[in-house]
Amino acid sequence: MEFITYEQEGFVGIITINRPKALNALNSQVLKEIDAALDAVDLETTRCLILTGAGEKSFVAGADIGEMSTLTKAEGEAFGKTGNDVFRKLETFPIPVIAAVNGFALGGGCEISMSCDIRLCSDNAVFGQPEVGLGITPGFGGTQRLARLVGAGKAKEMIYTAFNIKADEAYRIGLVNAVYPQAELMEAAKKMAAKISKNAPIAVRACKKAINEGLDADMDQAIVIEEKLFGSCFETEDQKDGMAAFLNKEKVSGFKNK
Ligand code: DAK
């Protein structure tokens, strides 16, 4: 791959978008490579992913404006679909994905971070949806995910004004879970990923599915979604081990993902 690196550290996989010349902007090739990197993740041995950008300046500075500038309507739609498919794959990926936002997260950068389960950012991070200043709408789910995350009023303000916000404001409005000094961001993301990975993987996956699918349903349906996923954990070895350990006043030495 030209623009993506993948490292495995224990149960944690780290995907880094590495296109420094364009501040890690997403062109079609980068999108295809993220897609391929996700397809290659070994779900037997990987329990959490971290998505980050290379360098200390930018997470992802948006979709590639150079590539988009000459697109026809049909090509624009196709580009939007490629991005949306990858972002949706991330959002529904069976294991949790933490975005470690290490700088600019603009347009498609803000959008890809919102497709992740949890956002941690560096203190120099900047978030925004500048698309209307370029004559387009957010095209990778920004109008939908931002409104769901921070509420319609704040999302509309950010999108209509095309105004960027800094890390502290992103934290204040609930767009990010926590802010760290740049030098500590990856360690913090790894620490959180390791905490997640210690828990029963089948249960963690079921929680992700229950939260995601439940949010798209009304409460009566949502509760049924939870019931079914709750039931699916029973008779797993991890459920037996977890409960037996509690009853024996012990800690599980390590969940088996079975
Ligand atoms: N695309 C391409 N190249 C980019 C880029 C981008 N988004 N952002 C930065 N670069 C490139 C710059 O052109 C520059 O390249 P060279 O001139 O050196 O060759 C290099 O990265 C360094 O950038 P700057 O020189 O501008 O660096 P500064 O520190 O001065 O400024 C900046 C950093 C992030 C504030 C600035 O680069 C900037 O404003 N970048 C653009 C940010 C932006 O507007 N992003 C949103 C893009 S729009 C859709 C699908 C998707 C989307 C929409 C519709 N459909 C098809 C439905 C999504 C749209 C977007 O994401």
Side-chain angles (χ1 to χ4, degrees):
M1 295 214 205
E2 193 181 347
F3 298 125
I4 298 293
T5 59
Y6 183 83
E7 297 153 81
Q8 186 84 27
E9 291 190 12
F11 290 129
V12 180
I14 303 167
I15 297 177
T16 304
I17 301 169
N18 187 4
R19 195 184 168 221
K21 274 193 205 152
L23 301 183
N24 304 326
L26 303 171
N27 61 14
S28 323
Q29 168 99 12
V30 175
L31 290 170
K32 280 184 194 137
E33 291 186 13
I34 298 171
D35 192 51
L38 290 173
D39 285 344
V41 173
D42 180 351
L43 291 169
E44 290 294 314
T45 54
T46 313
R47 299 184 181 183
C48 189
L49 288 180
I50 297 173
L51 177 72
T52 193
E56 298 196 337
K57 180 170 174 181
S58 182
F59 171 65
V60 170
D64 190 294
I65 299 172
E67 183 176 333
M68 281 192 298
S69 63
T70 56
L71 297 184
T72 61
K73 242 194 215 177
E75 288 166 341
E77 246 183 73
F79 183 65
K81 177 159 172 37
T82 307
N84 275 325
D85 288 351
V86 176
F87 287 25
R88 190 74 182 128
K89 188 180 271 191
L90 259 178
E91 189 169 43
T92 59
F93 205 64
I95 57 176
V97 185
I98 299 172
V101 179
N102 54 306
F104 290 114
L106 301 176
C110 186
E111 289 168 309
I112 199 169
S113 80
M114 294 190 293
S115 304
C116 299
D117 296 273
I118 292 166
R119 280 151 298 286
L120 306 180
C121 77
S122 54
D123 47 10
N124 67 332
V126 175
F127 293 81
Q129 296 289 163
E131 286 86 350
V132 294
L134 296 166
I136 54 175
T137 67
F140 292 150
T143 55
Q144 303 309 308
R145 294 194 180 96
L146 189 59
R148 281 166 172 77
L149 275 168
V150 304
K154 199 73 208 174
K156 285 176 175 174
E157 181 189 334
M158 281 177 69
I159 291 171
Y160 299 168
T161 62
F163 211 75
N164 294 339
I165 59 169
K166 293 186 177 164
D168 54 350
E169 175 69 353
Y171 177 67
R172 197 185 67 76
I173 65 172
L175 182 54
V176 299
N177 294 52
V179 184
Y180 297 92
Q182 173 74 254
E184 294 167 25
L185 174 66
M186 275 314 282
E187 268 326 297
K190 287 179 189 176
K191 208 167 154 187
M192 183 180 280
K195 264 192 195 165
I196 292 170
S197 304
K198 263 194 189 161
N199 290 319
I202 295 168
V204 171
R205 288 181 189 206
C207 291
K208 172 165 177 170
K209 206 168 153 59
I211 294 169
N212 279 0
E213 293 182 7
L215 282 173
D216 290 336
D218 68 38
M219 189 53 88
D220 288 322
Q221 292 171 311
I223 287 299
V224 174
I225 291 169
E226 188 188 76
E227 273 164 22
K228 294 213 177 312
L229 286 159
F230 173 73
S232 74
C233 296
F234 285 81
E235 299 180 25
T236 62
E237 287 186 39
D238 287 348
Q239 177 256 330
K240 302 279 172 240
D241 292 350
M243 292 194 179
F246 176 82
L247 294 172
N248 291 331
K249 304 201 183 301
E250 291 167 355
K251 284 212 162 164
V252 182
S253 55
F255 284 107
K256 298 183 192 119
N257 197 13
K258 283 184 182 157

